[in-house]
Amino acid sequence: MKIKCIALDLDRTTLNTAGRLPPANKAAIELAISSGVHVVIASGRAFDTLPEEVLSIPGIKYAVTCNGAAMYDLPAKKCLKRYRLSGTAVEAVMRVTKEEDVTYEAFIDGIAYAGKEYIEDPVRFGATSQAVSYVRKTRRGQEDIAAFIHERKEQLDSMDIVVKEEEKKRELWEKIAHVTEEVYITSSVQQLIEIAHKDAGKKSGLAFFMDLLGIKSEETAAFGDADNDVDMLRFAGCGIAVENASKTCKEAADYITKRCDADGVAYGIREILKIGK
């Protein structure tokens, strides 16, 4: 069946490891749009942190942000659907992590906030050196991020726990899942536990736009690289993982394309989906 919609994860999928949009990927996206395909951004990023070089591509109208917590009409800069975390869920998360060597990120109405200690030294909390510039450019610093979250617990689209050690990450993930059933928990990079409303997820976000556009799941394709893309890749008619994807993401995919640094999205659009052939 003809593909009518392509959902694109951004970081380390459509964007390369330097966080830039390769010219070949841009050209392939433009080709898909000119062929009548709807291209939807599907990201863990907040709306305010979406890269201009992707937003400036004519014809990209919709975006799934915050791992499916908020869906946007991009030209109108309007949120069409939002799942906010409940205050009780936020309090439960904060309660089981408050004594740990972690920090937090909070996402409210498309804006990303983080503790100043994380912005000043992201590597201390497990971020890669390549991520430092992105964190510093996109986060609004808070002197006491925990207090900030408590004060705005009813306003959060989503939140992240930033934790350096993998063993501690697994431990806290299990504790959070145990203390509240109101959340969706996922991870896109090694140092993050990403938390949103239980009805969120990129699958949920993509389904919202499919309903809006009148498109069936078998008419969709989705590209991703991380565990937070798994539900979306399984849901789409054609799930495509880049070669640099996590093991779980690859297992969820129907096809593996080239690495993000080798224009994997362009190759997938042209060679796997046969758009423009």
Side-chain angles (χ1 to χ4, degrees):
M1 184 170 288
K2 181 180 178 181
I3 294 298
K4 296 181 180 180
C5 178
I6 298 174
L8 295 175
D9 171 57
L10 293 179
D11 296 289
R12 299 165 304 280
T13 301
T14 305
L15 306 180
N16 59 26
T17 51
R20 302 303 304 272
L21 176 66
N25 284 357
K26 180 179 180 182
I29 292 168
E30 292 173 336
L31 175 64
I33 293 170
S34 69
S35 300
V37 177
H38 296 279
V39 174
V40 176
I41 295 170
S43 180
R45 292 190 182 211
F47 173 76
D48 199 46
T49 71
L50 298 176
E52 182 57 33
E53 57 187 341
V54 175
L55 297 181
S56 64
I57 297 175
I60 297 184
K61 186 175 181 182
Y62 299 118
V64 177
T65 69
C66 291
N67 289 318
M71 279 56 74
Y72 279 85
D73 179 316
L74 295 173
K77 297 183 178 180
K78 180 182 179 181
C79 185
L80 302 177
K81 177 77 173 180
R82 170 174 275 121
Y83 296 107
R84 292 197 195 277
L85 282 164
S86 71
T88 55
V90 173
E91 290 289 359
V93 171
M94 298 301 286
R95 188 168 57 252
V96 299
T97 59
K98 66 179 180 179
E99 301 298 332
E100 305 291 348
D101 183 22
V102 302
T103 188
Y104 306 91
E105 296 184 310
F107 304 93
I108 301 173
D109 294 333
I111 299 173
Y113 300 88
K116 284 193 173 181
E117 69 279 3
Y118 181 50
I119 295 172
E120 290 171 359
D121 189 5
V123 175
R124 174 194 158 197
F125 292 93
T128 63
S129 57
Q130 295 96 322
V132 171
S133 176
Y134 167 70
V135 170
R136 290 176 176 168
K137 286 180 180 178
T138 60
R139 270 53 180 164
R140 299 191 186 185
Q142 297 296 315
E143 289 288 350
D144 188 338
I145 187 64
F148 177 85
I149 290 172
H150 281 293
E151 291 168 3
R152 293 161 177 80
K153 63 183 180 182
E154 301 286 352
Q155 302 173 29
L156 272 63
D157 295 333
S158 61
M159 64 183 293
D160 295 342
I161 314 299
V162 189
V163 52
K164 185 172 185 177
E165 297 179 3
E166 181 61 32
E167 185 176 346
K168 178 59 67 173
K169 177 180 176 180
R170 291 194 297 269
E171 176 189 325
L172 293 178
W173 187 309
E174 291 176 4
K175 285 184 176 181
I176 292 166
H178 179 73
V179 298
T180 176
E181 297 180 347
E182 297 183 58
V183 297
Y184 165 80
I185 311 173
T186 191
S187 183
S188 60
V189 291
Q190 60 185 11
Q191 79 274 16
L192 296 183
I193 302 174
E194 298 163 57
I195 301 167
H197 185 276
K198 63 180 178 63
D199 293 330
K202 291 189 182 183
K203 170 187 172 181
S204 173
L206 177 57
F208 171 79
F209 285 121
M210 286 167 49
D211 288 344
L212 186 69
L213 296 167
I215 293 173
K216 301 174 183 177
S217 61
E218 58 265 32
E219 297 172 324
T220 66
F223 289 77
D225 78 298
D227 292 358
N228 65 327
D229 298 308
V230 166
D231 63 346
M232 177 175 71
L233 265 60
R234 287 175 175 160
F235 177 64
C238 181
I240 303 173
V242 286
E243 177 57 36
N244 54 281
S246 70
K247 181 177 181 290
T248 307
C249 186
K250 286 182 178 180
E251 290 172 348
D254 298 296
Y255 299 95
I256 308 297
T257 187
K258 293 181 179 182
R259 300 179 63 83
C260 66
D261 286 332
D263 306 330
V265 163
Y267 183 86
I269 289 174
R270 295 176 184 273
E271 303 298 328
I272 297 174
L273 301 181
K274 308 297 183 185
I275 294 174
K277 288 289 184 178

